[in-house]
Amino acid sequence: MNFLYDKFFVLTKAPVHIYDKNYVEIQKLVPKKAEDPLSEDCELVKAILDKVYSESVIVKPEPLSPYCALKLSDGNFLVSGPFRHKEDRLNAVNVCELFAYFNRRITPEDRDTADDSFIEETLKSCLNDFDSKEFEKILPTEAPHNTYAHELAHLEAITKGDPELALRCKLMPVHGKLGTLGPNFKRHIRNHCIVGATLAARAAIKGGISVETAFTVADYFINKVELINDDKLLQDYTLKIVVAFATLVKNLKEKGQKQIRPAVSRIIEEIKRSLYKDVSKDDLVCVCDMHKDYAERIFKKDTGMTIMEYLSSSRIQIACELLKDSQTSIAEISSILCFSSQSYFGRVFKKVTGKTPAQYRNQNFVKVWNQLD
């Protein structure tokens, strides 16, 4: 299993610890200069492992406890963290779930026998309820569904990152019809939007979009259509979903075409690790073996921003999320993101977004909670 631990460590770039049931550390992989609070905080380790042991499931990281953990089939525990950046935490969850999957595949003899009995009972129940004659009664005779080739056409266009082709394929003349997915027109179209967002998300993942991004965008559209009551707008969303996912893939591919030098990539990674630390340009440049002025020039050429501008912009993105999705005060956000003062934070925020932090919160925080009401 060591190769899986190593892979986990490489992908997440965060400390990886393997503990036994007595909270004794068996193995540790820690990147250079990374925080390693688990190795010295026995109470924290105990709390994390007790939670995993009682639930026997992956414990996903939380804002105030950015760790990811799971119980392995051999009875040991894997704990990884801390993750300082939202994207790192989300990636860690996906990697951890993949790790759990491979762990189960590699050690099938350790599976709980109750799993097999549950599978057997469920299969028997499902087969008893299955009646092919019932389906034969509802098969269309005069107006069949749209063809599978029609569906594949726009999904393949999404995977290629071609919004125009995806739209043309979606609108191409067909001889079939959409299946009836609801008791009334609104429910019928909403359900088609749900199915469309689900399929489009998978096509986008195939095109290179991260799983978390694709699923989140699909969730957005699925929730959005539930709030729309206008029939025309609902129908338009069946097309907007296709174009949106194709555009995501297109933007990713175009971004990938721009070559970023390895040294610049290392600085960007260091910036991501330093969003919650008070760092200078010298601190960020030290990860690449070159003069700081030359590093600054190539960084700006590849990204369009100076190193410190990139750091500030990345911090402002997190500030926007906190202002929109939490009740954390502006002063606290400024302090968390290591701005020298609240007034300086306000100036940088307005320069990046065009609004003050208070204006941004008033316009976005209210919208989010109004939708929940």
Side-chain angles (χ1 to χ4, degrees):
M1 297 296 292
N2 283 345
F3 78 96
L4 282 178
Y5 302 150
D6 293 340
K7 196 69 174 176
F8 187 97
F9 171 69
V10 170
L11 287 171
T12 61
K13 295 183 176 63
V16 175
H17 304 259
I18 310 298
Y19 290 90
D20 64 17
K21 294 178 181 179
N22 298 317
Y23 317 111
V24 176
E25 189 172 73
I26 301 171
Q27 184 177 355
K28 176 174 69 176
L29 294 169
V30 183
K32 293 179 180 179
K33 299 183 179 179
E35 289 187 48
D36 185 19
L38 285 172
S39 62
E40 298 178 359
D41 192 342
C42 188
E43 290 303 313
L44 177 58
V45 172
K46 188 175 184 300
I48 292 172
L49 298 192
D50 282 348
K51 185 175 182 181
V52 181
Y53 187 80
S54 62
E55 297 182 2
S56 296
V57 296
I58 296 171
V59 176
K60 298 187 177 183
E62 302 167 357
L64 298 179
S65 180
Y67 294 92
C68 197
L70 72 129
K71 183 180 178 183
L72 304 175
S73 58
D74 60 5
N76 294 326
F77 301 90
L78 182 147
V79 180
S80 187
F83 303 97
R84 297 301 185 191
H85 192 262
K86 181 181 178 182
E87 291 180 359
D88 291 337
R89 295 202 300 271
L90 295 174
N91 181 55
V93 172
N94 291 331
V95 174
C96 206
E97 289 174 345
L98 185 62
F99 185 101
Y101 168 75
F102 278 116
N103 185 57
R104 298 284 283 181
R105 289 290 299 274
I106 291 171
T107 55
E109 66 277 6
D110 293 330
R111 289 181 301 175
D112 188 345
T113 53
D115 289 350
D116 293 331
S117 62
F118 174 77
I119 293 295
E120 185 178 349
E121 291 174 9
T122 303
L123 278 174
K124 187 182 296 184
S125 174
C126 292
L127 290 172
N128 287 337
D129 293 339
F130 179 79
D131 185 357
S132 61
K133 292 181 179 179
E134 287 295 316
F135 299 130
E136 291 173 3
K137 294 176 184 178
I138 61 172
L139 286 174
T141 55
E142 297 179 358
H145 288 76
N146 292 337
T147 65
Y148 182 44
H150 174 257
E151 180 180 291
L152 285 180
H154 81 269
L155 293 178
E156 287 174 358
I158 291 173
T159 300
K160 291 177 181 177
D162 191 333
E164 182 181 342
L165 178 61
L167 184 57
R168 289 183 181 278
C169 291
K170 189 71 176 174
L171 294 172
M172 73 168 65
V174 290
H175 299 291
K177 67 170 186 176
L178 289 174
T180 302
L181 298 184
N184 55 60
F185 182 79
K186 284 186 174 63
R187 187 68 263 163
H188 162 76
I189 294 297
R190 283 178 180 139
N191 286 343
H192 270 290
C193 287
I194 292 170
V195 173
T198 303
L199 292 174
R202 273 63 180 175
I205 292 169
K206 192 175 179 181
I209 298 298
S210 71
V211 172
E212 193 64 37
T213 298
F215 286 177
T216 301
V217 174
D219 291 346
Y220 166 80
F221 280 121
I222 289 169
N223 285 284
K224 184 75 174 177
V225 296
E226 295 295 340
L227 302 175
I228 298 174
N229 291 312
D230 184 270
D231 291 352
K232 178 65 168 59
L233 287 177
L234 275 173
Q235 287 181 295
D236 289 345
Y237 256 82
T238 62
L239 304 178
K240 287 183 177 180
I241 289 168
V242 171
V243 172
F245 277 103
T247 303
L248 282 175
V249 178
K250 178 185 177 183
N251 292 343
L252 178 67
K253 291 182 183 297
E254 289 177 348
K255 183 179 179 181
Q257 290 172 357
K258 183 177 180 181
Q259 295 296 318
I260 295 181
R261 278 164 269 222
V264 174
S265 295
R266 289 198 294 274
I267 295 174
I268 290 174
E269 287 300 314
E270 187 63 16
I271 288 174
K272 289 180 179 179
R273 290 192 288 266
S274 305
L275 294 173
Y276 303 92
K277 296 190 291 187
D278 186 12
V279 294
S280 66
K281 182 170 69 175
D282 290 351
D283 295 327
L284 298 171
V285 172
C286 71
V287 296
C288 56
D289 188 19
M290 60 179 62
H291 191 275
K292 63 180 180 180
D293 292 338
Y294 178 71
E296 181 80 86
R297 283 201 303 274
I298 64 171
F299 189 96
K300 187 168 185 178
K301 187 174 182 179
D302 286 4
T303 67
M305 290 184 277
T306 66
I307 293 171
M308 298 310 288
E309 285 173 349
Y310 194 101
L311 173 64
S312 295
S313 177
S314 300
R315 285 172 169 169
I316 294 303
Q317 289 178 19
I318 296 174
C320 287
E321 293 176 9
L322 291 172
L323 289 167
K324 183 175 65 174
D325 300 329
S326 78
Q327 294 180 309
T328 309
S329 70
I330 294 173
E332 286 178 306
I333 293 173
S334 172
S335 176
I336 290 169
L337 295 172
C338 298
F339 284 91
S340 57
S341 67
Q342 186 176 336
S343 60
Y344 177 64
F345 167 66
R347 289 198 301 273
V348 175
F349 190 95
K350 188 169 184 179
K351 181 179 179 181
V352 174
T353 66
K355 301 180 180 71
T356 66
Q359 289 171 335
Y360 186 90
R361 167 162 278 172
N362 290 337
Q363 292 175 11
N364 293 279
F365 184 82
V366 174
K367 286 182 182 178
V368 171
W369 292 102
N370 280 348
Q371 287 178 0
L372 294 178
D373 293 334

